[in-house]
Amino acid sequence: MFSRTMEDQLGASNSAVNAILDTSFPPVWDISTLYASPSDPAIEADMGLLELDASIFSDGRIPGDDPAALQRREEIAGGLRRLERYVELLEAEGCEAPELKARVRKFARSLHQRMLAFDLHLGQVPDNAPAAQERPWIVAKARRLASDGLGAQREMQARGLDDAAEWADRHAKNLAEIRAGQKDENLIQLRAGLASPDPSRRAAAADALGHGLAGRLDALAACLNSMVRRRCKAQRIRGLAHWLDASRREQGASSQLTEAIIPTVSEHAPTARSFYDLKRRALGLPVLYERDRLAPWPGLASRCSWPEACALVLESFGGVSKRLRAAARRVFESGRIHADPDAGGSAGPFCLPAGVRPEPFVRLRFRGAVEDVLTLAHETGHAVHHVLSHGQGPLQDTAAPIMAETAACLSEELVLRRLVDQGRPQAALHRLERTMTLVFRQTALLRFEERMYAIGAERGFGSADLDQAWAGAHRAVYGGGLRLHAAAAHDWALVPHFYFSPGYVAAYVLGRLAAADLAQRLLHRQSGLEDALIQVLSQGLGPGVDKQYRSLGLNPNPPSFLDAALTECRRLVQQATAACNPST
C-alpha cells in the first residue's frame, strides 16, 4: 500500500513525520493518572465531596438561574465523569472491579435523581438569566427536555425504567463467556477470523460464532425484550409517540432528518448489491455470504507502521485545517492512546473523555492494516472533537451522537481521499467498503431496530422473532447480493448499541454521508467552511443537530445531502466495476 519513503507515501512534511517517529509502539496509556488503583482512598474521598456538593439539590428548590448552583452542578458532572470513566477504562484493560462498578453506578444514579429537579428548572430560565448567558446549550437542551411539560416526578419515574447499563452488562457478560471452535476461541478471536483471506477460515469462524451464540440466544433475547418493553413504557410516561423521539429530543434533531434515512438508502440499495456482486467476483465466489463481507480484497493486503499511520492522519487534517491538525497532534502526544495489537479485555475501539484534561483516552488494536488506520482516524476524529469542545465544561462538552459521528467519519473520509488523490486504486475500494459498512449495514440495523420496537410494544418477542426480523432487514437492503448464512441469523445478538443506545446506528449513516459532503467542500476550500466547522466542533453539545448542520451548509429538512452522497457512491461503484471489467 505504501511506497518506499514516508515523504513519498504521505506527502508529509519532515516536521510532521519527526513529531511522531519518536512515539514508541505500541503506545500504552496510564490510567493511574485518574486513580492509583480500584482501592485508591481518593475514590471514596471524591465520592464524599460529590455527596456534599449534591446535598444542596436534595430538596429540589434550587432555582435554575442560580449561577453558584449551576457551577456546582458542573463540578459534580465532572467528578462523576472521572469516576465512571475510570471504571470503564479498568474494564477495557480486562481488570474486573465489580464492587467498585456497582458502587459507582448506584452513587451516580442517586446523584442524578437529586439533581433532576434542578435540571428541569434550567429549561424554564429566561434568555437574560446568567445560566442562559453562560451555558446556553445546556439551557437549550433542558428546554427541549421540558417541552412536553413533564414534571420532575414523571420524568424520574421514566428514568427509573431506563436501566440500559444493567442490560448492556448482561449482554456483554454473555458475549464475554463465549468460547467456541476447535481452538476454544473467544468472541474477538472468532470475529477476527471473519476478516481472513481464507474462505474456509471465514466459514469455520462464522459457524463457530453461530454455535457459541446458539446456547445464549434465549438469555440475550430475554434481556433485549425486557429492555425494549421497559423503554416503551418510559416513552408512554414521557408522552412520546415514536421509539426514536427521546433520542431526537435529546440531540435537537428533527424527525425529518432521521426519517429520511431508510427510504433514501433503500432507494440506493442497488448500489450496495452492485458493490457486493463486484466483491463476489473479485473473491471468486459463487455466492457472497455475510461471513465474506469483511474479507480482504485480493492483492490489496498491506501493512503500515504506527508512525506512518499517525503522520497520514495528521497530514489529512492539515490538508484542510491547521487548527484540526494541531488538535490531532495534541491527541497523539497526550500519552492517552492505547494501541497494543495484542491487548486483553473485550472492549472494541473507543474514545472517552475523563478528568480535567481536554485529551480523551483512546483505545484500538493496531496491527497496521488499512482498517486499523481508518479506525485510528475515526477515533482521532472523536478525540479532536473533545479537545476543541473541552472549554465548554462537563455539562456542554459532549456532543450529540449524530455530530460526534459526523466528526469521526469526516476524519476517515479525509484520510481516504488523501490516499485516493495519491493514485492508490485500493483506497477507492476501501472508501466504498466504509460506505457499505457505515451506511447500508447500519440502515439494515436501523430497520431491524424499528421492527424490534414495533413487536416489543405490541406483544414482546423471543429469539425466533429477532432472527426473522434480522433476516427481513437484511433482505430489504441487500436483496440477494449479500446472503445470510445459517449462523448469521443470530448476529443481532452481537450489536451492543441495541442494548444501551437506541437508534445510535442512525448517527453512523448521517455522519458518513454528511462527512462525504463536508470533505468535498473543505478540500475545494469553500469560503468560511473551515471556520464554521471549528466553531461547531468547539460547541460540544451545541444548540442541537439541526442548527449545527445548517451552520455547516447541511440542510436537515429535507436532508438532500443524503441522496447526493449516495448518488456519488453509485458513480464510484460503477467506476470500480468498469475498472475491473475493462471490456465493458
Side-chain angles (χ1 to χ4, degrees), residues 38 87 90-91 94-106 169 173:
V87 171
L90 280 174
E91 284 192 317
C95 177
E96 296 293 332
E99 292 183 3
L100 177 62
K101 181 177 182 177
R103 171 96 167 87
V104 169
R105 182 171 290 170
K106 181 178 179 181
D169 282 349
K173 185 176 185 295

Side-chain angles (χ1 to χ4, degrees), residues 521-573:
R521 290 188 284 128
L522 282 168
L523 290 167
H524 282 81
R525 305 293 181 183
Q526 179 178 316
S527 177
L529 182 56
E530 179 196 351
D531 289 338
L533 177 63
I534 296 295
Q535 181 181 21
V536 166
L537 296 181
S538 300
Q539 289 174 342
L541 178 63
V545 170
D546 278 11
K547 292 182 179 179
Q548 289 177 309
Y549 263 16
R550 283 194 180 94
S551 68
L552 295 174
L554 298 165
N555 186 2
N557 185 22
S560 56
F561 66 90
L562 300 181
D563 183 71
L566 287 167
T567 299
E568 172 66 6
C569 178
R570 180 177 61 201
R571 185 188 69 80
L572 293 174
V573 170

Side-chain angles (χ1 to χ4, degrees), residues 446-457:
L446 187 62
R447 275 183 171 274
F448 167 81
E449 202 168 6
E450 186 174 74
R451 179 60 180 153
M452 181 177 69
Y453 274 88
I455 298 173

Side-chain angles (χ1 to χ4, degrees), residues 96 101 166-179 216 220 346:
E96 296 293 332
K101 181 177 182 177
E166 284 79 4
W167 296 117
D169 282 349
R170 297 184 194 186
H171 171 257
K173 185 176 185 295
N174 272 282
L175 297 188
E177 291 175 352
I178 288 177
R179 295 292 185 277
R216 300 177 181 274
L220 289 165
S346 59

Side-chain angles (χ1 to χ4, degrees), residues 200-494:
S200 61
R201 171 75 177 98
R202 296 197 299 271
D207 289 344
L209 183 56
H211 179 74
L213 284 172
R216 300 177 181 274
L217 283 182
D218 289 342
L220 289 165
C223 286
L224 199 53
N225 186 35
S226 297
M227 184 210 71
V228 167
R229 299 193 78 172
R230 289 168 71 85
R231 278 189 169 148
C232 288
K233 184 175 181 179
Q235 291 275 100
R236 291 194 294 271
I237 292 172
R238 290 188 171 104
L240 303 176
H242 194 276
W243 70 277
L244 272 176
D245 279 349
S247 174
R248 292 166 179 160
R249 186 177 68 167
E250 182 89 1
Q251 298 187 73
S254 61
S255 60
Q256 290 85 353
L257 181 62
T258 55
E259 287 175 356
I261 293 174
I262 289 178
T264 305
V265 176
S266 297
E267 184 179 342
H268 288 269
T271 299
R273 296 165 192 172
S274 296
F275 175 83
Y276 284 119
D277 182 62
L278 176 63
K279 186 164 189 176
R280 176 190 63 78
R281 289 185 281 118
L283 293 172
L285 299 173
V287 176
L288 192 75
Y289 288 105
E290 166 64 24
R291 67 188 179 217
D292 303 310
R293 183 174 56 85
L294 299 177
W297 287 77
L300 298 187
S302 55
R303 290 289 183 271
C304 71
S305 68
W306 176 254
E308 290 168 351
C310 293
L312 173 59
V313 174
L314 278 179
E315 291 307 307
S316 298
F317 274 128
V320 297
S321 170
K322 291 182 179 179
R323 287 174 286 181
L324 288 177
R325 177 182 167 181
R329 181 170 175 172
R330 183 170 179 173
V331 171
F332 290 139
E333 296 174 346
S334 68
R336 290 191 164 196
I337 296 179
H338 195 298
D340 188 341
D342 301 312
S346 59
F350 63 76
C351 174
L352 285 177
V356 297
R357 285 175 53 182
E359 303 87 5
F361 287 89
V362 174
R363 180 185 170 98
L364 68 153
R365 290 179 174 86
F366 186 89
R367 297 186 176 182
V370 177
E371 291 75 15
D372 297 334
V373 178
L374 296 179
T375 299
L376 173 65
H378 190 96
E379 300 307 329
T380 301
H382 283 309
V384 165
H385 200 173
H386 285 304
V387 167
L388 293 175
S389 64
H390 178 75
Q392 295 290 344
L395 288 178
Q396 291 191 151
D397 65 353
T398 300
I402 292 173
M403 286 309 308
E405 294 305 332
T406 299
C409 290
L410 176 60
S411 179
E412 279 190 45
E413 182 70 0
L414 292 173
V415 168
L416 286 164
R417 287 184 182 237
R418 188 169 187 82
L419 291 174
V420 170
D421 289 345
Q422 291 173 357
R424 306 177 195 284
Q426 67 273 33
L429 290 174
H430 284 300
R431 187 177 169 209
L432 287 170
E433 195 87 70
R434 292 302 290 167
T435 301
M436 296 304 123
T437 297
L438 292 174
V439 176
F440 292 97
R441 175 170 169 76
Q442 301 303 321
T443 298
L445 268 58
L446 187 62
R447 275 183 171 274
F448 167 81
E449 202 168 6
E450 186 174 74
R451 179 60 180 153
M452 181 177 69
Y453 274 88
I455 298 173
E458 178 185 342
R459 59 174 172 82
F461 49 74
S463 60
D465 295 304
L466 295 173
D467 286 352
Q468 184 177 7
W470 185 258
H474 197 277
R475 283 194 301 270
V477 173
Y478 300 117
L482 185 64
R483 297 189 191 178
L484 285 179
H485 52 281
H490 315 315
D491 280 358
W492 52 265
L494 299 174

